[in-house]
Amino acid sequence: MQHLNESLKQPEVVFIHGAWVTPSCWDAFRRPFEDAGFQTLAPAWPGLDKPEAELRAAPDPQLGALSVGEITEHYAQIVAGLDTPPLLVGHSFGGLVVQLLLARGLGAAGAVLSPAPFAGLWPDPVSFGSALLVGAGWRGWSQTYDVARDVFDTRVANTLPPDTRREIYDRLVPSPGRIYGEAAVGLGTFLWPPARQAPLLLIAASEDRLVAPALVYSAWLWQKLAPARTDYDLAEGLCHLLIYEQKGKEVAARVIAWAGENGVIPPAASFRNTAGLS
């Protein structure tokens, strides 16, 4: 029994956030996983493990030069240090990091929500146009920048109520400029889909004006080259910030069900099944 209790303390789901936010973005989305019996962990990117107000007032001087590779390595060490491979869940740039980790053999399975593109994907017109707008605020590969309010309202949070958009925008934090430059030229974002052995679920949001469904679908086509199961879902009526949406719990439920289909269940459920209990 002591061994079982110890295993229950291990995170079975690791959440990886995207740009402009901190791990608090997962507060509502991770709750269905915890209600289902999962232990969860949502670590911050390097340099973002501070209160949001402090990050806005005085961001880490090194944050602007933070690269996709450094973010990925940060999470690789966290995941590799766990007793058992977890389910990896990532949003936006966090979704790209999840795919890079899976390609390295880390994680039991991965679910990515509106993931940023990896090298080799051609952006659709909607995603390309948004990239130009986002990139307009870029001041170099070694500085941070903020997303413009009009871009946030029309491209990132376009389906959310005005009050919700305002609340989220007021909590945003600076983002590394380097990661957008790397994403634009494919530097540090290359992965080899056939190397992936763990299942992967890609979820697009139908009203996403930052990472359009066509771009996520293109990623799915490439990821299907892997020998492992690869699925694609479309969340109807949701924007890029689907983890903040009222219907976000439905997306979470889909991820939980998919994880169960692929053998990723809470240790408590596994114990009950082994013991023949319901």
Side-chain angles (χ1 to χ4, degrees):
M1 181 61 72
Q2 181 179 1
H3 177 74
L4 173 63
N5 289 337
E6 290 176 352
S7 70
L8 290 177
K9 297 178 182 179
Q10 290 296 320
E12 301 108 33
V13 186
V14 174
F15 293 93
I16 304 178
H17 65 83
W20 302 316
V21 296
T22 67
S24 66
C25 71
W26 294 112
D27 286 353
F29 192 85
R30 70 195 287 186
R31 195 167 300 125
F33 291 82
E34 294 169 346
D35 290 343
F38 285 102
Q39 299 292 317
T40 67
L41 179 67
W45 288 9
L48 292 182
D49 54 346
K50 301 175 183 178
E52 293 164 349
E54 183 178 340
L55 291 171
R56 289 192 296 272
D60 188 327
Q62 303 301 315
L63 180 61
L66 185 65
S67 68
V68 172
E70 289 171 325
I71 296 171
T72 303
E73 184 58 34
H74 171 72
Y75 284 99
Q77 293 181 19
I78 293 173
V79 173
L82 300 176
D83 287 349
T84 57
L87 168 67
L88 305 176
V89 180
H91 172 247
S92 197
F93 263 99
L96 169 60
V97 171
V98 165
Q99 293 177 85
L100 292 169
L101 292 173
L102 293 176
R104 292 171 58 169
L106 295 170
V112 296
L113 318 172
S114 295
F118 48 81
L121 295 181
W122 288 95
D124 60 282
V126 172
S127 301
F128 181 73
S130 293
L132 292 178
L133 290 173
V134 170
W138 178 46
R139 300 190 303 273
W141 279 35
S142 60
Q143 300 185 46
T144 60
Y145 75 94
D146 303 310
V147 59
R149 181 60 185 267
D150 60 332
V151 174
F152 180 78
D153 285 345
T154 60
R155 302 277 178 157
V156 183
N158 45 293
T159 64
L160 294 174
D163 288 348
T164 303
R165 290 202 304 263
R166 188 179 308 110
E167 179 182 350
I168 296 172
Y169 189 82
D170 289 345
R171 296 184 62 183
L172 297 182
V173 299
S175 174
R178 184 178 297 268
I179 62 174
Y180 286 94
E182 291 178 331
V185 300
L187 181 64
T189 64
F190 174 82
L191 57 83
W192 181 240
R196 177 173 54 83
Q197 301 295 319
L200 173 64
L201 170 64
L202 300 98
I203 298 180
S206 70
E207 306 308 311
D208 194 333
R209 298 294 179 260
L210 188 64
V211 180
L215 188 55
V216 182
Y217 188 82
S218 179
W220 172 67
L221 292 176
W222 276 104
Q223 285 286 12
K224 285 179 66 179
L225 296 174
R229 176 174 172 176
T230 309
D231 295 315
Y232 171 85
D233 267 3
L234 180 65
E236 293 287 353
L238 305 186
C239 67
H240 184 70
L241 293 184
L242 65 168
I243 61 175
Y244 286 95
E245 297 264 19
Q246 287 292 328
K247 292 185 177 180
K249 60 183 179 182
E250 297 176 9
V251 179
R254 170 62 182 123
V255 174
I256 293 170
W258 177 87
E261 294 169 5
N262 288 278
V264 182
I265 57 176
S270 178
F271 176 76
R272 286 195 300 269
N273 290 339
T274 301
L277 303 176
S278 58

